[in-house]
């Protein structure tokens, strides 16, 4: 599992007691669900905590073609014959890594069901194709994330009730500006202007816009300014033009940009 270890500390700015809560959940190996809008820092938080706890991290970006076999493993045929290859979930459970299933609700229903015996007191992963009942390593932990919203799929109660939950939000503007400044290497006043525009886009959520600008998008805008692009043009390229093609919504985004610069 050496390849899955994080060698240097990923920067993460805590906004509350989430670090202590994650450590408490890990100490008891409680499965953890991270809820919050896209790009608000959930994945970076998991990377930071894996580094902090000294555990390998196996990350799976879930999508609608992801199957249970993709997670648990399958038989392969090569020049040496037939061999079993653990999937990422089985690999993490077998060797004691943290397994992070990013945007779990995007995966197929059979993928969700397969984690149930791992996410309760049994801590078992059935590998039916191999006729093996894999007992999770004592250091194994399961973390999932999803982005709740009016158009998002819902997790089944039978899945939700196996997890403790941490809710994430975008940081306060002053803190978010400091994060953007550090991540992009720009002056704080430049970052503050970009964040002010980002906050305006979030006020459009529910008014034709599913999500406003994420912190990730604001960092990208700030990175463009380090290449000599004016902040207003950078915000238009990285945020306004990327968020929506619907004419009315795009017009509102440009108006928000005009109000910021």
């Amino acid at each position: 599992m050496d390849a899955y270890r994080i060698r240097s500390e990923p920067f993460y700015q805590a906004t509350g007691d989430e670090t202590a809560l994650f450590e408490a959940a890990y100490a008891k190996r409680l499965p953890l669900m991270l809820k919050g809008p896209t790009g608000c820092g959930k994945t970076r938080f998991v990377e930071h905590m894996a580094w902090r706890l000294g555990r390998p991290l196996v990350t799976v970006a879930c999508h609608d073609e992801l199957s249970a076999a993709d997670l648990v493993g399958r038989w392969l045929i090569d020049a040496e014959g037939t061999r079993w290859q653990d999937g990422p979930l089985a690999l993490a459970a077998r060797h004691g890594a943290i397994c992070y299933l990013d945007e779990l609700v995007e995966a197929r229903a059979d993928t969700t069901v397969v984690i149930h015996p791992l996410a309760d007191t049994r801590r078992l992963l059935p590998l039916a194709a191999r006729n093996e009942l894999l007992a999770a390593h004592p250091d194994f932990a399961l973390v999932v994330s999803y982005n709740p919203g009016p158009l998002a799929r819902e997790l089944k109660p039978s899945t939700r009730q196996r997890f403790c939950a941490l809710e994430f939000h975008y940081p306060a503007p002053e803190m978010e500006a400091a994060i953007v400044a550090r991540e992009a290497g720009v002056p704080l006043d430049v970052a503050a202007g970009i964040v002010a525009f980002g906050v305006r886009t979030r006020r459009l959520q529910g008014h034709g816009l599913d999500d406003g600008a994420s912190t990730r998008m604001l960092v990208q805008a700030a990175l463009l300014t380090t290449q000599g692009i004016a902040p207003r043009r950078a915000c238009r390229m990285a945020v306004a033009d990327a968020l929506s093609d619907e004419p009315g919504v795009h017009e509102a985004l440009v108006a928000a940009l005009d109000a910021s610069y």
Side-chain angles (χ1 to χ4, degrees), residues 102-259:
D102 187 18
E103 297 294 348
L104 177 62
V105 293
E106 298 297 329
R108 286 164 42 173
D110 65 330
T111 305
T112 305
V113 172
V114 79
I115 71 173
H116 283 185
L118 263 183
D120 57 30
T121 55
R122 291 172 289 177
R123 287 175 60 84
L124 297 171
L125 179 61
L127 306 179
R130 198 182 184 194
N131 196 28
E132 177 185 1
L133 192 60
L134 174 60
H137 189 284
D139 292 334
F140 169 76
L142 180 62
V143 182
V144 305
S145 72
Y146 88 104
N147 177 12
L151 301 179
R153 301 181 194 174
E154 277 293 327
L155 287 172
K156 293 181 178 179
S158 59
T159 302
R160 296 178 69 100
Q161 292 182 18
R162 285 171 159 81
F163 289 84
C164 296
L166 277 176
E167 191 163 4
F168 285 71
H169 302 280
Y170 295 120
E174 298 79 8
M175 182 180 291
E176 190 168 23
I179 292 169
V180 170
R182 186 191 187 283
E183 288 287 277
V186 299
L188 186 58
D189 62 327
V190 172
I194 293 171
V195 168
F197 169 58
V199 170
R200 286 187 169 96
T201 71
R202 293 166 193 166
R203 294 174 186 153
L204 297 173
Q205 189 169 348
H207 300 279
L209 196 64
D210 294 335
D211 291 294
S214 66
T215 303
R216 181 192 302 122
M217 297 181 88
L218 303 183
V219 170
Q220 291 171 345
L223 285 169
L224 287 171
T225 69
T226 68
Q227 299 302 303
I229 307 299
R232 186 188 187 283
R233 187 67 185 93
C235 285
R236 173 143 190 174
M237 177 180 176
V239 181
D241 289 349
L243 276 176
S244 178
D245 294 320
E246 199 282 317
V249 176
H250 188 264
E251 184 178 333
L253 288 167
V254 172
L257 185 55
D258 290 339

Side-chain angles (χ1 to χ4, degrees), residues 34-78:
L34 310 183
K35 305 188 299 178
T38 184
C40 70
K42 301 186 296 295
T43 298
R44 178 68 65 86
F45 172 67
V46 177
E47 292 171 350
H48 175 81
M49 294 308 301
W51 174 86
R52 188 182 181 100
L53 294 167
R55 302 309 310 157
L57 176 64
V58 178
T59 298
V60 180
C62 298
H63 53 83
D64 56 9
E65 294 298 322
L66 185 75
S67 68
D70 293 324
L71 281 184
V72 302
R74 50 171 53 92
W75 290 103
L76 301 177
I77 300 176
D78 57 23

